[in-house]
Amino acid sequence: MISSHPLPRRPLIVGDGVAALRLRQAARELGITTYSAEGEPEGLVARARELGCDALHPGETPPSYQWRMATACREAGLRFLGQSKTLLAAMTDEGTMRRLMQEAGLPLAPVEATGPQVRVSLLADGAGRVVHLAPRQTLPDGSSLAPLAWLTPERSAYLGRLAGQGVAALGATGLVEARFRVVDNAVGFDALAPGPNGEEALDESLFGLDPLLTQWRLWSGERLGERQSGLRARGHARLWRLTLPEGARLDGGPGVRLDSAGPGHASRLVVWGRRPGDLHGRTRRALSALLGEDEARKRLADD
């Protein structure tokens, strides 16, 4: 569990491009001055000290990296904005995490199961309250979609309850992602990962809730203001990671958002529609504007 502290004033965020951009934007809304850099944990801790930072945010990095970062921060006496070392260590060990989730009452997916993977983001506060957001899936073309038409609302709610049950038992705080496998119509726990994951804009489009902004607040000891009964996914959303050609531009329009950190960085396009047909039409228009008609047709050929 992350201890309650005031919000950091000058954190260093690990990463660059859109990943760091979105975290900086959320922090700016709360009046937080941020810096960003990339590198190995020990070097980043030293860089944070040089900049006069009072905390270090691991960004969109895997649990093994975050464990090293948490260790380096503890040794240097620098605040680490992430899960506890104990929980991060469990996240890096499949056997340990499966055992912990089984003890929390979750069904497990068969080892090396190959069924569809469904991922659920959750927000947890220091008082043990947890809410889950929309189940989503990465499609064969690399884009991510939420919610999932092949999951009934009852099945989606069941997945969310399972994920919340496990996260609460582990004492996580902030943003985490639970992953499940669907095998022969049965759902089993697969893995747990720290957030953010780069797909928070999907939930922001569906719920009007920015998980990144909420996570900053949870780290200051605030309790979740949202209740599960009040979180209803509205419409359908899809996220694309794109390498844009030089000069590409998007004129905007309803339900379309492009996060870009400039030339040399991958961009993220998020499209929302009230109905699947609205989503498809807006996606095609946005992809055509950014990549051209032929490329848009190719990417949407299997929809």
Side-chain angles (χ1 to χ4, degrees), residues 33 36 108 194 212 247 259 285 289:
T33 301
S36 57
L108 303 181
L212 298 179
D259 289 322
R285 288 194 295 274

Side-chain angles (χ1 to χ4, degrees), residues 4-16:
S4 175
H5 289 89
L7 279 171
R9 291 168 293 132
R10 296 166 60 89
L12 176 70
I13 297 171
V14 177
D16 67 351

Side-chain angles (χ1 to χ4, degrees), residues 143-187:
S143 66
S144 298
L145 179 70
L148 303 176
W150 55 273
L151 273 180
T152 65
E154 294 77 16
R155 203 75 181 279
S156 295
Y158 171 67
L159 272 180
R161 287 195 300 271
L162 282 180
Q165 182 177 321
V167 167
L170 295 175
T173 306
L175 184 60
V176 291
E177 178 187 83
R179 301 169 184 172
F180 296 87
R181 291 282 179 185
V182 181
V183 182
D184 296 331
N185 207 36
V187 172

Side-chain angles (χ1 to χ4, degrees), residues 184-208:
D184 296 331
N185 207 36
V187 172
F189 171 80
D190 192 33
L192 191 72
N197 53 51
E199 298 182 346
E200 286 74 26
L202 284 173
D203 289 316
E204 188 173 358
S205 298
L206 294 169
F207 295 100

Side-chain angles (χ1 to χ4, degrees), residues 8-243:
R9 291 168 293 132
R10 296 166 60 89
L12 176 70
I13 297 171
V14 177
D16 67 351
V18 177
L21 173 67
R22 287 287 292 112
L23 286 162
R24 290 199 304 269
Q25 289 171 337
R28 191 178 305 126
E29 288 191 38
L30 298 171
I32 301 171
T33 301
T34 60
Y35 302 86
S36 57
E38 292 187 293
E40 293 302 307
E42 296 75 14
L44 287 172
V45 168
R47 179 61 176 155
R49 287 300 194 201
E50 291 173 6
L51 293 169
C53 296
D54 57 352
L56 199 150
H57 188 305
E60 296 175 14
T61 54
S64 57
Y65 180 97
Q66 294 200 23
W67 183 88
R68 294 173 54 208
M69 180 65 68
T71 300
C73 284
R74 175 174 291 184
E75 292 174 351
L78 184 66
R79 183 180 174 190
F80 174 72
L81 297 173
Q83 302 302 330
S84 69
K85 281 186 62 180
T86 300
L87 182 50
L88 290 171
M91 288 180 178
T92 67
D93 187 297
E94 179 182 353
T96 298
M97 184 52 67
R98 285 171 63 86
R99 175 180 57 79
L100 290 172
M101 285 301 196
Q102 188 173 43
E103 290 173 355
L106 274 67
L108 303 181
V111 177
E112 299 184 5
T114 59
Q117 187 182 71
V118 178
R119 293 172 291 126
V120 183
S121 287
L122 303 102
L123 289 161
D125 66 18
R129 180 180 294 171
V130 182
V131 296
H132 61 82
L133 302 176
R136 63 188 185 280
Q137 184 179 15
T138 299
L139 303 179
D141 61 11
S143 66
S144 298
L145 179 70
L148 303 176
W150 55 273
L151 273 180
T152 65
E154 294 77 16
R155 203 75 181 279
S156 295
Y158 171 67
L159 272 180
R161 287 195 300 271
L162 282 180
Q165 182 177 321
V167 167
L170 295 175
T173 306
L175 184 60
V176 291
E177 178 187 83
R179 301 169 184 172
F180 296 87
R181 291 282 179 185
V182 181
V183 182
D184 296 331
N185 207 36
V187 172
F189 171 80
D190 192 33
L192 191 72
N197 53 51
E199 298 182 346
E200 286 74 26
L202 284 173
D203 289 316
E204 188 173 358
S205 298
L206 294 169
F207 295 100
L209 164 72
D210 185 351
L212 298 179
L213 185 65
T214 303
Q215 181 172 239
W216 283 109
R217 287 175 169 152
L218 293 175
W219 282 331
S220 71
E222 285 191 26
R223 296 193 177 186
L224 276 168
E226 297 75 22
R227 294 186 177 276
Q228 194 64 58
S229 59
L231 290 173
R232 293 284 185 269
R234 182 177 59 91
H236 306 264
R238 190 167 179 177
L239 182 147
W240 299 79
R241 290 176 171 83
L242 303 171
T243 300

